[in-house]
């Protein structure tokens, strides 16, 4: 069995957020930077690596550890 919803969801590691050169990082900014496939509808950021720069995100899902790391670096997460 292969879930069809799994194809629409992408996982992103924490340091990869910095590769998207945008003021507010959302799904469209990640697609433009070729960090997620073009057909992606949901992105989940996982805690793998470190982030030291404050980032502002919108519309992304975070694991508990990744959310704490972004907020500790001075970033903000908007639903």
């Amino acid at each position: 069995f292969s879930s069809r919803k799994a194809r629409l969801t992408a996982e992103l590691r924490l340091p990869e957020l910095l590769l998207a050169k945008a003021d507010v990082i959302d799904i469209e900014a990640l697609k433009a930077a070729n960090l997620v496939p073009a057909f992606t509808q949901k992105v989940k950021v996982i805690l793998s690596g470190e982030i030291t720069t404050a980032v502002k995100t919108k519309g992304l899902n975070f694991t508990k550890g990744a959310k704490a790391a972004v907020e500790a670096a001075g970033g903000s997460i908007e639903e």
Side-chain angles (χ1 to χ4, degrees):
F1 173 73
S2 179
S3 172
R4 293 179 138 189
K5 287 187 178 184
R7 295 183 196 151
L8 302 176
T9 304
E11 268 190 0
L12 200 64
R13 290 187 290 280
L14 202 52
E16 293 173 339
L17 284 177
L18 300 176
L19 298 176
K21 305 292 185 199
D23 294 334
V24 178
I25 300 171
D26 58 359
I27 294 176
E28 296 305 318
L30 296 174
K31 287 179 185 178
N34 290 325
L35 294 172
V36 296
F39 54 82
T40 301
Q41 295 179 357
K42 284 178 153 183
V43 175
K44 185 160 196 166
V45 181
I46 60 172
L47 178 62
S48 177
E50 295 180 351
I51 188 167
T52 56
T53 307
V55 293
K56 186 175 183 181
T57 64
K58 181 177 181 180
L60 305 179
N61 297 322
F62 286 82
T63 61
K64 188 166 68 171
K67 186 174 186 176
V70 168
E71 291 171 347
S76 64
I77 297 172
E78 193 176 318
E79 297 299 320

